[in-house]
Amino acid sequence: MIKRCIGIDIGPVHLRAVQIMSTGRGFRIETVFTTQTRRATDFLPDMLRSLFGKYGFDRRAAVAVSTPHDAVFFRNLETDAAGLDQLRQRSSAALENSFPIPPDQIVAQVCSSHRSSDDKYFVLAGALSRTSLHERLNLLAGAKIHPVLVEAPVFAVHSTIAANHPEIGTGRAIIVYVDESCLTLAVTADNDVLIVRNIPVAPPSGENLNSMQDALAEIVSREAQITWHRVFGAGIEQNTGIYLLATNGDCGYLKSLIEQSLDCRVTIVDPSADVKTPRDEKTDPSVCVAEGLALRLLAPGHTNGINFLAAHNDDTGKPLHLKKELVTYAALAGAIVVFLVAGLFMKLSRLEAGYADIKAQIRRTFQTTLPEEKNIVSPLAQLEQRLESFRKDYQLFASYNPAALGPLQILRSVSASTPSQANLEVDDLLIAGDTVRITGTSDSFESVYEWQRLLQRVPEFTAVEVQADQKQPKTGIVQFTMLVSSPIQEQR
């Protein structure tokens, strides 16, 4: 079964992301993204969104993200079995004095534990403030990314080493990880991280790189011995495995210095030793944290670590915290309802004021137009009735109504449509409303019907009917009566 996961490493001056596919034959890196974020125009939410739109990352894949180095605190505690149970249950009483974080802000988890004597346990715990966690989650939410794992960088590095150098899973070893501003030392035993130390260092410079690596090698040698002795109570054993990883990728000179100083076997970590890459290219060591985050999701039992998001969700699921959240949400909901109701009342008040103003304007217009009307009940309806009365009065006088067809226009249309060759005489022409009645004589029926056809072609007439026509036997003259309807007058 194919599964894809994404690791996102967000640092103070960089953004790195790796998408890894897991199949039955192992892991394969599909997509890698890395960039610097030092410019003032860099906007992280936009850059994170571009991973899925521009750079081809799968939005359906589960996402793991790293925490800042300086936001995570590690403490080694010595306790008994009962105390270990309390620590594993993240008891605030057991941890509130262990970290420089206010007790109500602590999000903590036990990373590992091993027995140091018959009744004592040596425990490594990590903690992050709730505020720092929310800041990281809000940043991702701005890009519509919702991670399922929030992990400390050192455990992501451990996952990358375990996947590419599986020999670290047995025996004791030291992890040395150097990024832009921090040296991380971790001691492992049988695939468990027993102690973690983050030591600030100056960023590397191209002009005095060798001298800085000399100083760095001296720090690594001294601090590694101190750290090892604190865990095991003895010096570093000869030929102990040290796994070295630096984001600048230039570790050869530093490796030789550490080997000379500690008499150990130093391995430069290759993030693509066992994890396949497109076209079998070498993976840049700078993406080791992002690669390890994706591997933590793909193989959760491969290495141990901390999921600060899961620890936070477990804490907020407790009844006391749930009650606080419910009270907060209820207060916010109540405030929103109050503002909505107040807004509706303000809008209603504005509408009522506008309606009253419009009614006053209508009344003033009515009084100006019809000053003789004293009984004002419904101004609009009364104006409409008065206008309809005026309209009917005006229609009685065609000359005053520009839309009506006047008598002279009717006579002109009738005369212009009379056949020139026909012997037609009009005895009477009556214009009444929308009907014109023509009475006359002709020498034949053909002349009458020819005139009817000509009148039917006039656009102003909608209907022309011959109602009566008869021929006198003695004289042979045809008498007829014709009715013509005016379309304009019908439409009024």
Side-chain angles (χ1 to χ4, degrees):
M1 179 180 178
I2 296 176
K3 182 180 179 182
R4 290 180 173 86
C5 291
I6 298 171
I8 301 177
D9 175 24
I10 304 173
V13 294
H14 69 259
L15 172 62
R16 297 163 186 148
V18 174
Q19 178 174 299
I20 300 180
M21 177 181 67
S22 171
T23 64
R25 293 175 292 181
F27 304 114
R28 175 178 291 275
I29 294 177
E30 294 185 307
T31 310
V32 175
F33 173 82
T34 178
T35 186
Q36 297 295 312
T37 56
R38 293 173 178 163
R39 298 172 298 178
T41 56
D42 290 332
F43 186 57
L44 276 175
D46 287 345
M47 300 174 74
L48 289 167
R49 276 191 291 268
S50 69
L51 294 177
F52 303 96
K54 183 177 180 181
Y55 295 102
F57 283 73
D58 188 352
R59 186 167 284 280
R60 296 169 298 179
V63 175
V65 66
S66 66
T67 61
H69 277 295
D70 57 356
V72 183
F73 299 92
F74 293 99
R75 287 294 181 269
N76 286 101
L77 309 171
E78 192 173 18
T79 183
D80 55 16
L84 179 60
D85 289 338
Q86 284 187 330
L87 291 172
R88 285 175 173 169
Q89 294 171 8
R90 289 186 294 278
S91 169
S92 57
L95 294 172
E96 63 181 8
N97 297 321
S98 301
F99 300 101
I101 302 174
D104 60 344
Q105 282 279 309
I106 292 177
V107 180
Q109 200 171 55
V110 171
C111 311
S112 64
S113 62
H114 70 280
R115 181 172 291 182
S116 58
S117 63
D118 292 339
D119 57 351
K120 294 295 182 181
Y121 290 86
F122 191 74
V123 179
L124 173 64
L128 176 74
S129 74
R130 224 173 282 279
T131 300
S132 297
L133 178 60
H134 288 169
E135 288 175 355
R136 182 54 44 104
L137 295 177
N138 291 337
L139 172 63
L140 295 169
K144 296 183 178 179
I145 299 174
H146 304 286
V148 297
L149 173 69
V150 179
E151 178 66 282
V154 64
F155 293 103
V157 172
H158 184 211
S159 289
T160 299
I161 298 173
N164 292 279
H165 304 277
E167 62 273 12
I168 196 177
T170 57
R172 299 173 177 178
I174 299 174
I175 296 174
V176 179
Y177 171 58
V178 185
D179 68 359
E180 298 94 340
S181 59
C182 184
L183 162 65
T184 300
L185 288 174
V187 175
T188 69
D190 297 329
N191 214 33
D192 281 337
V193 176
L194 304 183
I195 189 170
V196 177
R197 296 183 61 199
N198 291 322
I199 304 169
V201 295
S205 173
E207 298 177 357
N208 58 347
L209 184 59
N210 284 346
S211 61
M212 290 193 65
Q213 290 199 350
D214 288 336
L216 184 59
E218 182 179 348
I219 296 173
V220 169
S221 300
R222 181 182 68 251
E223 299 299 330
Q225 293 183 66
I226 295 173
T227 305
W228 185 278
H229 189 275
R230 181 177 177 185
V231 178
F232 301 114
I236 299 177
E237 301 162 1
Q238 186 177 6
N239 208 32
T240 295
I242 296 180
Y243 295 86
L244 175 62
L245 186 61
T247 55
N248 61 12
D250 185 12
C251 298
Y253 182 62
L254 183 59
K255 171 188 174 182
S256 62
L257 293 175
I258 295 174
E259 286 180 333
Q260 292 174 13
S261 177
L262 295 177
D263 194 19
C264 292
R265 173 177 40 86
V266 179
T267 301
I268 298 176
V269 176
D270 180 4
S272 55
D274 278 352
V275 177
K276 303 300 181 183
T277 60
R279 298 176 297 277
D280 293 328
E281 298 174 350
K282 287 293 183 182
T283 301
D284 191 321
S286 64
V287 301
C288 64
V289 173
E291 177 182 332
L293 290 168
L295 291 171
R296 287 274 291 119
L297 289 177
L298 290 169
H302 199 61
T303 58
N304 295 325
I306 305 175
N307 187 349
F308 288 112
L309 180 59
H312 171 268
N313 291 339
D314 289 343
D315 288 344
T316 55
K318 295 178 182 179
L320 179 60
H321 292 261
L322 179 59
K323 183 178 179 180
K324 289 182 179 179
E325 295 293 334
L326 289 176
V327 170
T328 301
Y329 291 147
L332 290 175
I336 291 172
V337 170
V338 169
F339 281 115
L340 287 176
V341 172
L344 289 175
F345 275 110
M346 291 177 63
K347 186 175 181 180
L348 178 62
S349 177
R350 288 196 298 268
L351 290 174
E352 289 178 343
Y355 178 66
D357 185 58
I358 291 173
K359 287 181 65 177
Q361 292 181 21
I362 292 173
R363 189 177 184 87
R364 287 195 296 269
T365 302
F366 183 88
Q367 292 173 339
T368 303
T369 306
L370 301 173
E372 71 280 2
E373 186 68 50
K374 302 302 182 182
N375 185 20
I376 304 176
V377 179
S378 177
L380 286 177
Q382 290 176 268
L383 280 174
E384 182 65 28
Q385 291 175 356
R386 185 59 64 91
L387 287 174
E388 183 64 25
S389 176
F390 288 156
R391 191 180 296 111
K392 290 180 180 179
D393 292 342
Y394 291 155
Q395 287 177 355
L396 297 176
F397 305 95
S399 59
Y400 292 100
N401 188 354
L405 191 62
L408 293 178
Q409 293 174 304
I410 293 175
L411 287 173
R412 180 179 177 279
S413 299
V414 170
S415 300
S417 303
T418 304
S420 58
Q421 303 298 327
N423 187 13
L424 293 167
E425 291 185 4
V426 176
D427 297 333
D428 186 29
L429 191 148
L430 175 63
I431 301 174
D434 58 354
T435 304
V436 180
R437 189 181 69 181
I438 303 173
T439 303
T441 60
S442 175
D443 57 357
S444 65
F445 290 106
E446 289 77 5
S447 298
V448 175
Y449 291 117
E450 183 181 357
W451 193 16
Q452 179 189 18
R453 287 191 294 271
L454 291 175
L455 290 173
Q456 287 174 340
R457 297 175 185 173
V458 177
E460 290 83 358
F461 300 149
T462 188
V464 180
E465 298 181 5
V466 178
Q467 281 199 338
D469 57 335
Q470 58 182 358
K471 188 174 184 179
Q472 297 180 0
K474 294 180 179 181
T475 61
I477 295 175
V478 176
Q479 293 181 333
F480 66 87
T481 299
M482 192 178 299
L483 295 179
V484 180
S485 299
S486 170
I488 298 179
Q489 289 186 352
E490 286 183 349
Q491 293 173 358
R492 290 201 300 266

